[in-house]
Amino acid sequence: QVQLVESGGGLVQAGGSLRLSCAASGRTFSSYAMGWFRQAPGKEREFVAAISWSGGSTYYADSVKGRFTISRDNAKNTVYLQMNSLKPEDTAVYYCAADSSRVGPTTYDYWGQGTQVTVSS
């Protein structure tokens, strides 16, 4: 099992940047593919980005390509989401997720509690 705790959310103006972090418990972090998802009010949760176990492969939703960057530090058991050029439509609760066998825009076994990101216009 793995427990995930997100941080780094907040309020930012359009065009600004935020970096989300997701700290994972356990000593097997490198055996989990990691993903970021988001859910805006009244909408379904959607895939944002994912990264493979070693960090060698990354995946992005079309809506964030070129603006968001996912990365991981296996020595720190942490995955990051650098968000640049933020838009009001990026406003959502952002969730970190982990899975031992799947990567990309798919289902994940473990989820964090989420962190709120609000982008003002």
Side-chain angles (χ1 to χ4, degrees), residues 19-56:
R19 188 176 81 154
L20 305 183
S21 299
C22 173
S25 65
R27 294 176 288 180
T28 59
F29 177 71
S30 60
S31 66
Y32 290 92
M34 302 297 296
W36 286 97
F37 291 74
R38 67 186 181 187
Q39 187 167 20
K43 295 187 177 182
E44 293 187 354
R45 186 171 60 196
E46 64 174 358
F47 169 77
V48 174
I51 189 166
S52 62
W53 301 262
S54 66

Side-chain angles (χ1 to χ4, degrees), residues 32-34 51 53 98-104 106-109:
Y32 290 92
M34 302 297 296
I51 189 166
W53 301 262
D99 198 279
S100 60
S101 59
R102 292 170 291 226
V103 63
T106 182
T107 57
Y108 286 71
D109 285 338

Side-chain angles (χ1 to χ4, degrees), residues 67-86:
R67 299 189 298 123
F68 290 11
T69 302
I70 188 170
S71 62
R72 66 189 296 160
D73 186 337
N74 286 344
K76 295 182 178 179
N77 283 13
T78 302
V79 63
Y80 305 97
L81 185 67
Q82 178 67 43
M83 305 186 295
N84 298 329
S85 303
L86 282 161

